[in-house]
Amino acid sequence: MLEFIIRRILWTIPILFLVSLLAFAIIQAPPGDFVTALSASLAERGEEVDMAQLEALRTRFGLDKPFIVQYWKWISGVLVGDFGVSFEWRQPVSELIGERLGLSFILALATILFTWALALPIGIYSAVKKYTIGDYIVTTIGFIGLAMPNFLLALVLMYVGVVHLGNDVTGLFSPEYRNAPWSIAKCLDLLAHLWIPVVILGTSATASIIRIMRANLLDELPKPYVTTARAKGLSEFKVLVTYPVRVALSPFISTIGWMFPQIISGSVIVSIVLSLPTAGPLLLSSLKAQDMYLAGSFVLLLSILSVVGMLVSDILLAIADPRIRRKK
């Protein structure tokens, strides 16, 4: 098991290097640069564009340097915790993304826990009680959850909250805590507001994993090892939990690798609709402005989350299924 973990960790090093190179290349792939986007923005507002100042700005930011020089300047700073300065905000990138990425991480973690807490028992029930009234109800709700876009569900909940409950459901904090320093009262206020975006972001993922869990369990239940366990006189609950459910849990564990970055990057529209102070809207803004240090840092951190998530997922899958760690 130790050899398996070390081998997986060693594989992450070249992957992270390639990810950082690709992230920086993708940010620079569109034509032009931050100064070009700034010039276009000034022209749209009818302001005078001083080409000399723009060229001086391009030289100051190092945008006139070759790609590899810009990449080395950025990645050498990242290795010591310096993500550079945002061109658009004129602030260190670490200050801009710190709290927003933290709130995004909390939102993603709460969404995954919500998804697992609902999908696991419902998926098992739907498989064990297949083709019953309860299974049909769960399946219908699941298809509705898969079909409904997250932003539409956010708009419906906003309407219900404002019109019928008289509460503003936007944001993650009450007005008095938005700019206040962190305290126990602010944490409790965050928990009171967190459930709405968690339900919105977790609905489609829950419906999807219920379908996967049901299908996997239906494949396992008729197999001979389950029949043998029943023949040994074990209770139905013990047979179910000890053997087929354990095998069918693989989809749950494998979701760790992709759910964190997917929820953080995929919640942009929901974050804009609900005015959430998370990473998604800032990432979108930085991509539109071609703010390469800010956008590149976001893409790199999301990629690192994916790689680390896949590593954790592989280790947990190897613990759950010994056949995996025996594969070279």
Side-chain angles (χ1 to χ4, degrees):
M1 185 65 189
L2 183 61
E3 182 189 349
F4 174 83
I5 294 173
I6 292 173
R7 194 166 62 241
R8 283 290 188 273
I9 291 174
L10 290 177
W11 268 110
T12 61
I13 296 173
I15 290 174
L16 287 177
F17 168 71
L18 290 175
V19 161
S20 70
L21 193 61
L22 283 174
F24 200 76
I26 289 171
I27 299 305
Q28 292 204 335
D33 52 28
F34 170 73
V35 175
T36 308
L38 178 63
S39 173
S41 176
L42 290 174
E44 281 182 4
R45 294 201 298 265
E47 298 182 21
E48 186 178 351
V49 179
D50 188 334
M51 298 306 295
Q53 285 187 355
L54 292 179
E55 284 303 318
L57 205 57
R58 182 175 280 113
T59 304
R60 177 185 167 193
F61 290 150
L63 299 175
D64 54 345
K65 304 290 184 189
F67 169 80
I68 194 67
V69 175
Q70 294 183 50
Y71 170 74
W72 176 249
K73 180 184 175 185
W74 175 64
I75 198 64
S76 58
V78 169
L79 291 175
V80 295
D82 179 10
F83 291 88
V85 177
S86 165
F87 300 155
E88 185 180 15
W89 298 82
R90 304 289 198 276
Q91 292 182 29
V93 170
S94 56
E95 291 182 8
L96 284 171
I97 66 177
E99 184 170 356
R100 284 176 176 265
L101 209 57
L103 289 172
S104 298
F105 184 82
I106 293 172
L107 180 60
L109 182 62
T111 304
I112 290 175
L113 293 177
F114 168 80
T115 301
W116 287 1
L118 284 182
L120 178 62
I122 294 176
I124 294 173
Y125 172 83
S126 185
V128 174
K129 303 290 184 183
K130 65 176 181 178
Y131 308 132
T132 62
I133 296 296
D135 179 34
Y136 289 135
I137 292 174
V138 169
T139 301
T140 304
I141 294 174
F143 283 137
I144 293 173
L146 281 173
M148 182 176 290
N150 288 342
F151 74 89
L152 181 60
L153 184 58
L155 291 173
V156 171
L157 285 180
M158 283 178 64
Y159 175 80
V160 172
V162 173
V163 175
H164 296 285
L165 303 178
N167 290 324
D168 183 9
V169 297
T170 59
L172 287 177
F173 300 102
S174 300
E176 62 269 26
Y177 290 110
R178 279 175 191 162
N179 298 315
W182 281 98
S183 62
I184 294 176
K186 185 171 181 176
C187 293
L188 294 175
D189 187 65
L190 172 62
L191 292 177
H193 289 80
L194 196 62
W195 69 271
I196 296 172
V198 165
V199 170
I200 293 169
L201 294 173
T203 298
S204 62
T206 303
S208 174
I209 296 180
I210 285 174
R211 301 302 303 164
I212 295 172
M213 184 70 187
R214 181 182 185 276
N216 282 7
L217 202 52
L218 284 177
D219 282 342
E220 295 298 323
L221 285 174
K223 288 187 175 176
Y225 72 89
V226 179
T227 306
T228 304
R230 288 192 178 115
K232 288 183 176 179
L234 297 177
S235 66
E236 187 63 25
F237 178 79
K238 192 169 183 179
V239 169
L240 195 64
V241 173
T242 307
Y243 299 108
V245 168
R246 184 179 173 184
V247 176
L249 273 178
S250 296
F252 278 76
I253 299 174
S254 61
T255 57
I256 296 173
W258 54 265
M259 279 194 77
F260 267 112
Q262 187 187 53
I263 291 173
I264 291 174
S265 60
S267 63
V268 175
I269 298 177
V270 173
S271 297
I272 293 172
V273 171
L274 293 177
S275 301
L276 303 180
T278 53
L282 190 59
L283 171 61
L284 179 63
S285 169
S286 64
L287 289 172
K288 288 166 63 179
Q290 291 188 269
D291 191 345
M292 66 179 189
Y293 288 159
L294 182 57
S297 299
F298 264 125
V299 175
L300 177 62
L301 290 173
L302 290 175
S303 303
I304 290 174
L305 273 179
S306 294
V307 173
V308 173
M310 293 302 293
L311 174 65
V312 174
S313 173
D314 283 348
I315 293 173
L316 292 177
L317 283 171
I319 293 172
D321 189 347
R323 294 172 297 178
I324 294 175
R325 60 175 177 264
R326 293 194 189 107
K327 293 179 181 176
K328 298 293 184 182

